């Protein structure tokens, strides 16, 4: 750079280009989320990332070893007994201008200490731009931890909590390729869904099944509840508990829904033909949809090539409810074929 003729008196050097590196240099006391995301408003791109305060000495709190978050997360592999989504940081994609907004109302004792050390660093929630306010999402790494703990702490009596009756665990994930065994917990799915009351909103949804072990494959193959994290800035967590009659069949878990797709004769024949001769079949996210009083699992069927530059193609969208399967060109058409709506 010293010898370059491209540099002028107005040139600027950007030393810290990544979002995590830039925010981490300003606030090294925060554990940063592993997945920064862009927000597009008024023709500009603003990156957003969540920052967490943590502790291992918080009184009367359960320890948890954090798993199920990206390896790039500042929380990966850590054991804590206090975790709070304390800060949302924004970085302008063009100028690099960075802001750190405090998300609480002064009820985070860990952040209070750091705010006293760096009094000019954090801005209040009132200063968060309205153009970004409606487009931020629920902290992803925090949700991975909370949705796991919900299985134990959703009960409302001390006896149930002590005995472990009524415990849930995150359901096992459905395989993403044909015949693939899976032992991982089901990931969250971002979708428009019904939140509290009748309000529609954008949220992250994760299925829970009956069971108490940390291994998702040990849960029973039925759905106990859908855990919903509202992406609205003032939103929270909701539980939609599966309610079925005494003579009704249990609601399908993601793995059972996938088994129904795999066992459908027409789909099986199509997959056999498509999953050969230079192509392979993969599945999109297993997405729960509430169609009236019915739960429908919806999943895209995608065909990709096996070459170095595969081009994915949507074969169809499968919908599963009560063991019945329909495949159509769109999710709406597949759901309508099952429900008659």
């Amino acid at each position: 750079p010293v010898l370059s003729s491209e540099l002028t008196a107005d040139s600027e050097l950007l030393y810290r280009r990544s979002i995590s590196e830039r925010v981490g240099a300003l606030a090294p006391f925060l554990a940063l989320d592993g997945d920064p995301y862009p927000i597009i408003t008024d023709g500009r791109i603003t990156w957003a990332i969540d920052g967490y305060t943590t502790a291992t000495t918080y009184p009367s709190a359960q320890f948890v070893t954090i798993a199920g978050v990206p390896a790039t997360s500042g929380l990966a592999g850590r054991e804590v007994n206090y975790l709070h989504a304390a800060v949302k940081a924004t970085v302008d994609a063009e100028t690099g201008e960075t802001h750190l907004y405090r998300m609480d109302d002064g009820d985070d004792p860990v952040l209070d200490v750091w705010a006293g050390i760096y009094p000019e660093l954090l801005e209040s929630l009132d200063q968060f731009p309205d153009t970004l306010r409606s487009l931020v999402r629920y902290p992803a790494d925090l949700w991975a931890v909370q949705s796991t703990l919900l299985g134990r702490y959703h009960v409302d009596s001390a006896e149930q909590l002590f005995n472990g009756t009524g415990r849930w665990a995150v359901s096992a994930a459905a395989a993403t390729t044909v015949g693939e065994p899976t032992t991982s917990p089901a990931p969250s799915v971002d979708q428009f869904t019904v939140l509290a009351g009748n309000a529609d909103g954008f949220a992250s949804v994760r299925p829970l099944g009956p069971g108490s072990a940390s291994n998702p494959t040990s849960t029973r193959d039925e759905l106990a509840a859908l855990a919903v994290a509202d992406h609205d800035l003032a939103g929270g967590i909701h539980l939609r508990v599966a309610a079925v009659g005494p003579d009704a069949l249990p609601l399908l878990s993601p793995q059972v829904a996938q088994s129904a797709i795999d066992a459908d004769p027409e789909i099986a024949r199509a997959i056999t033909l498509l999953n050969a001769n230079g192509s392979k079949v993969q599945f999109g996210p297993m997405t729960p949809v509430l169609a009236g009083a019915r739960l429908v699992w919806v999943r895209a069927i995608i065909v990709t090539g096996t070459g170095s530059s595969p081009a994915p193609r949507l074969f169809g969208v499968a919908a599963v409810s009560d063991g019945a399967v329909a495949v159509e060109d769109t999710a709406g058409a597949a759901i309508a074929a099952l429900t008659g709506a």
Side-chain angles (χ1 to χ4, degrees), residues 211-341:
S212 60
S214 58
N215 185 354
T217 58
S218 66
T219 60
R220 296 205 302 272
D221 280 330
E222 59 185 85
L223 185 72
L226 293 175
V228 182
D230 188 353
H231 285 315
D232 185 79
L233 191 60
I237 297 174
H238 314 283
L239 273 178
R240 296 190 63 89
V241 180
V244 296
D247 300 324
L249 294 174
L251 295 178
L252 303 182
S253 69
Q255 279 196 328
V256 175
Q258 183 59 41
S259 296
I261 294 174
D262 294 340
D264 184 85
E266 294 186 9
I267 299 177
R269 282 194 292 269
I271 288 178
T272 299
L273 294 174
L274 293 169
N275 211 30
N277 299 323
S279 64
K280 62 179 179 180
V281 175
Q282 294 179 303
F283 297 100
M286 183 68 80
T287 305
V289 176
L290 298 178
R294 298 179 64 175
L295 172 70
V296 181
W297 290 101
V298 177
R299 196 168 209 197
I301 302 174
I302 302 167
V303 182
T304 61
T306 57
S308 58
S309 301
R313 180 177 66 86
L314 179 65
F315 172 77
V317 180
V320 185
S321 181
D322 296 330
V325 182
V327 178
E328 300 291 343
D329 292 336
T330 65
I335 293 172
L338 284 180
T339 63

Side-chain angles (χ1 to χ4, degrees), residues 31-71:
L32 298 179
D33 195 276
D35 186 19
Y37 56 97
I39 300 174
I40 301 176
T41 55
D42 300 327
R44 299 187 68 85
I45 299 175
T46 302
W47 287 91
I49 188 171
D50 290 285
Y52 306 101
T53 50
T54 63
T56 58
T57 55
Y58 203 81
S60 303
Q62 176 183 322
F63 276 90
V64 59
T65 300
I66 299 176
V69 298

Side-chain angles (χ1 to χ4, degrees), residues 178-195:
V178 179
E180 173 195 11
T182 178
T183 58
S184 60
S188 295
V189 177
D190 291 317
Q191 63 181 98
F192 288 97
T193 187
V194 178
L195 302 176

Side-chain angles (χ1 to χ4, degrees), residues 138-148 150 188 204 206 227-229 237:
Y138 196 90
D141 291 352
L142 177 67
W143 177 233
V145 177
Q146 288 176 323
S147 56
T148 301
L150 273 174
S188 295
S204 188
R206 208 172 191 196
V228 182
I237 297 174

